[in-house]
Amino acid sequence: MRDVTIILTGTIEPNVDFVARADVDQRIEDYRKCIAFYLENTTHTIVFAENSGFKPKDSLTFRPLLNNDRFSWISIVPHPDLSKGKGFQEFYTLDHLVKSGLCGEYFVKVTGRYLVRNVAPLIAKMKAPFHVDLHQKMKIAITGFFGIETQLYRDHLFAKYAEANDAEGRFIEHVIY
């Protein structure tokens, strides 16, 4: 089996418009629940890439997770243009994470508050360089959960976030498609 890192992306304190859940305490609990689930239900390294400046050591909720050897928290300063939307910011964050070298040779990206209950068997089936659900009729890629070789990401998706602009109807799902 290949070396897989699970990347959870998150924004504890939302910095863009149009978020489904704006309450910080609820978001903290959502992220904690998901991080704990992936730690308990997989054997993979997990990196939480957070882009709002939240300090996990200041949180009683996150402090115990920081002691797990398989878990890392990386804080990424968001792109200064907050008007482009969530996908723009998320893939900007991913680019920084890929540059950091914490992704290993293959990473599975999960939007941090998504709990993918069958994550272990899904990852076990990922043999191709890139696994993403495509919806051809709508011309979108489902970016909430996908797996990709890190070098393939560098070669083909790096800096693609710049093409996304939610306000103009060009979401990251269109760009990745």
Side-chain angles (χ1 to χ4, degrees):
M1 182 166 171
R2 70 170 86 206
D3 170 34
V4 174
T5 301
I6 297 174
I7 306 298
L8 302 174
T9 57
T11 304
I12 302 287
E13 298 168 345
N15 51 24
V16 296
D17 294 331
F18 311 113
V19 293
R21 191 181 292 237
D23 181 87
V24 171
D25 291 332
Q26 288 177 332
R27 293 177 74 83
I28 287 171
E29 181 53 25
D30 290 345
Y31 288 124
R32 185 215 53 82
K33 183 172 121 184
C34 289
I35 293 165
F37 175 85
Y38 294 117
L39 284 169
E40 292 168 12
N41 291 282
T42 73
T43 58
H44 303 292
T45 298
I46 298 166
V47 177
F48 185 71
E50 203 280 337
N51 70 353
S52 74
F54 183 85
K55 306 281 188 275
K57 290 181 181 176
D58 294 343
S59 168
L60 292 175
T61 301
F62 287 118
R63 218 175 293 152
L65 296 169
L66 298 173
N67 295 325
N68 190 305
D69 292 339
R70 290 186 16 238
F71 179 69
S72 298
W73 181 298
I74 185 167
S75 293
I76 308 290
V77 175
H79 190 283
D81 187 351
L82 300 176
S83 70
K84 300 279 178 91
K86 294 184 295 188
F88 176 95
Q89 290 293 336
E90 183 178 43
F91 275 73
Y92 175 81
T93 298
L94 269 180
D95 280 13
H96 282 273
L97 190 59
V98 166
K99 278 195 271 189
S100 77
L102 292 173
C103 294
E105 68 181 45
Y106 191 93
F107 67 89
V108 171
K109 183 271 191 192
V110 184
T111 298
R113 294 185 312 115
Y114 290 177
L115 197 106
V116 181
R117 295 200 182 280
N118 60 339
V119 68
L122 286 175
I123 291 173
K125 292 178 184 178
M126 291 182 174
K127 306 289 185 218
F130 189 22
H131 284 269
V132 65
D133 284 337
L134 298 176
H135 289 256
Q136 293 179 355
K137 187 175 183 179
M138 297 185 338
K139 296 190 183 320
I140 61 169
I142 303 302
T143 60
F145 179 85
F146 66 86
I148 190 167
E149 290 177 354
T150 303
Q151 189 59 49
L152 187 71
Y153 183 94
R154 281 187 195 104
D155 293 344
H156 298 285
L157 299 184
F158 200 82
K160 286 290 191 184
Y161 71 88
E163 297 176 27
N165 187 331
D166 290 6
E168 295 176 0
R170 197 172 48 257
F171 301 101
I172 197 68
E173 292 84 357
H174 297 115
V175 173
I176 301 304
Y177 181 87

